[in-house]
PDB file of all heavy atoms in Angstrom:
ATOM      1  N   ILE A   6       4.327 -23.447  20.873  1.00 49.00           N
ATOM      2  CA  ILE A   6       5.116 -22.265  20.562  1.00 49.00           C
ATOM      3  C   ILE A   6       6.595 -22.508  20.816  1.00 49.00           C
ATOM      4  O   ILE A   6       7.439 -22.154  19.984  1.00 49.00           O
ATOM      5  CB  ILE A   6       4.607 -21.035  21.345  1.00 49.00           C
ATOM      6  CG1 ILE A   6       3.227 -20.658  20.821  1.00 49.00           C
ATOM      7  CG2 ILE A   6       5.567 -19.854  21.213  1.00 49.00           C
ATOM      8  CD1 ILE A   6       2.540 -19.555  21.590  1.00 49.00           C
ATOM      9  N   LYS A  19      16.324 -15.527  11.636  1.00 43.00           N
ATOM     10  CA  LYS A  19      16.626 -14.399  12.513  1.00 43.00           C
ATOM     11  C   LYS A  19      15.540 -13.352  12.361  1.00 43.00           C
ATOM     12  O   LYS A  19      14.981 -13.181  11.286  1.00 43.00           O
ATOM     13  CB  LYS A  19      17.978 -13.780  12.150  1.00 43.00           C
ATOM     14  CG  LYS A  19      19.136 -14.735  12.331  1.00 43.00           C
ATOM     15  CD  LYS A  19      20.420 -14.102  11.902  1.00 43.00           C
ATOM     16  CE  LYS A  19      21.538 -15.129  12.043  1.00 43.00           C
ATOM     17  NZ  LYS A  19      22.653 -14.853  11.202  1.00 43.00           N
ATOM     18  N   ALA A  38       7.660   1.942  -9.052  1.00 97.00           N
ATOM     19  CA  ALA A  38       6.628   2.975  -9.108  1.00 97.00           C
ATOM     20  C   ALA A  38       7.057   4.144  -9.991  1.00 97.00           C
ATOM     21  O   ALA A  38       8.215   4.554  -9.979  1.00 97.00           O
ATOM     22  CB  ALA A  38       6.330   3.480  -7.701  1.00 97.00           C
ATOM     23  N   THR A  43       2.173  10.692  -0.610  1.00 97.00           N
ATOM     24  CA  THR A  43       1.347  10.583   0.588  1.00 97.00           C
ATOM     25  C   THR A  43       0.136  11.470   0.362  1.00 97.00           C
ATOM     26  O   THR A  43       0.221  12.496  -0.323  1.00 97.00           O
ATOM     27  CB  THR A  43       2.086  11.039   1.867  1.00 97.00           C
ATOM     28  OG1 THR A  43       2.481  12.398   1.725  1.00 97.00           O
ATOM     29  CG2 THR A  43       3.292  10.168   2.148  1.00 97.00           C
ATOM     30  N   ASP A  56     -17.705  -3.268 -21.390  1.00 96.00           N
ATOM     31  CA  ASP A  56     -18.415  -4.513 -21.714  1.00 96.00           C
ATOM     32  C   ASP A  56     -19.333  -4.993 -20.587  1.00 96.00           C
ATOM     33  O   ASP A  56     -19.991  -6.033 -20.743  1.00 96.00           O
ATOM     34  CB  ASP A  56     -17.413  -5.628 -22.026  1.00 96.00           C
ATOM     35  CG  ASP A  56     -16.468  -5.278 -23.151  1.00 96.00           C
ATOM     36  OD1 ASP A  56     -16.874  -4.516 -24.056  1.00 96.00           O
ATOM     37  OD2 ASP A  56     -15.319  -5.753 -23.123  1.00 96.00           O
ATOM     38  N   ASP A  69      -0.575  15.155  -0.411  1.00 96.00           N
ATOM     39  CA  ASP A  69       0.162  15.996   0.531  1.00 96.00           C
ATOM     40  C   ASP A  69       1.583  16.220   0.026  1.00 96.00           C
ATOM     41  O   ASP A  69       2.104  17.319   0.078  1.00 96.00           O
ATOM     42  CB  ASP A  69       0.236  15.342   1.920  1.00 96.00           C
ATOM     43  CG  ASP A  69      -1.098  15.316   2.635  1.00 96.00           C
ATOM     44  OD1 ASP A  69      -1.913  16.231   2.422  1.00 96.00           O
ATOM     45  OD2 ASP A  69      -1.324  14.370   3.408  1.00 96.00           O
ATOM     46  N   ASN A  75       7.552  14.179 -10.255  1.00 74.00           N
ATOM     47  CA  ASN A  75       7.153  15.568 -10.041  1.00 74.00           C
ATOM     48  C   ASN A  75       5.806  15.825 -10.683  1.00 74.00           C
ATOM     49  O   ASN A  75       5.593  15.540 -11.843  1.00 74.00           O
ATOM     50  CB  ASN A  75       8.200  16.524 -10.626  1.00 74.00           C
ATOM     51  CG  ASN A  75       9.479  16.513  -9.832  1.00 74.00           C
ATOM     52  OD1 ASN A  75       9.466  16.220  -8.642  1.00 74.00           O
ATOM     53  ND2 ASN A  75      10.584  16.820 -10.483  1.00 74.00           N
ATOM     54  N   LYS A 143       3.151  10.742  12.330  1.00 96.00           N
ATOM     55  CA  LYS A 143       2.526   9.782  11.420  1.00 96.00           C
ATOM     56  C   LYS A 143       3.323   8.482  11.475  1.00 96.00           C
ATOM     57  O   LYS A 143       4.557   8.495  11.434  1.00 96.00           O
ATOM     58  CB  LYS A 143       2.512  10.301   9.986  1.00 96.00           C
ATOM     59  CG  LYS A 143       1.677  11.535   9.798  1.00 96.00           C
ATOM     60  CD  LYS A 143       0.228  11.181   9.718  1.00 96.00           C
ATOM     61  CE  LYS A 143      -0.553  12.449   9.429  1.00 96.00           C
ATOM     62  NZ  LYS A 143      -1.860  12.409   9.964  1.00 96.00           N
ATOM     63  N   VAL A 151       6.660   7.414   9.660  1.00 97.00           N
ATOM     64  CA  VAL A 151       6.569   7.735   8.245  1.00 97.00           C
ATOM     65  C   VAL A 151       7.798   8.524   7.801  1.00 97.00           C
ATOM     66  O   VAL A 151       8.296   8.331   6.686  1.00 97.00           O
ATOM     67  CB  VAL A 151       5.258   8.500   7.934  1.00 97.00           C
ATOM     68  CG1 VAL A 151       5.233   8.990   6.493  1.00 97.00           C
ATOM     69  CG2 VAL A 151       4.064   7.599   8.215  1.00 97.00           C
ATOM     70  N   ILE A 158      12.742   5.455   1.299  1.00 96.00           N
ATOM     71  CA  ILE A 158      12.257   5.539  -0.093  1.00 96.00           C
ATOM     72  C   ILE A 158      13.170   6.476  -0.888  1.00 96.00           C
ATOM     73  O   ILE A 158      13.596   6.142  -2.001  1.00 96.00           O
ATOM     74  CB  ILE A 158      10.795   6.015  -0.131  1.00 96.00           C
ATOM     75  CG1 ILE A 158       9.878   4.926   0.445  1.00 96.00           C
ATOM     76  CG2 ILE A 158      10.397   6.391  -1.561  1.00 96.00           C
ATOM     77  CD1 ILE A 158       8.473   5.398   0.747  1.00 96.00           C
TER      78      ILE A 158
END
Side-chain angles (χ1 to χ4, degrees):
I6 292 174
K19 297 177 183 156
T43 60
D56 303 329
D69 290 329
N75 290 333
K143 296 281 184 209
V151 173
I158 291 167

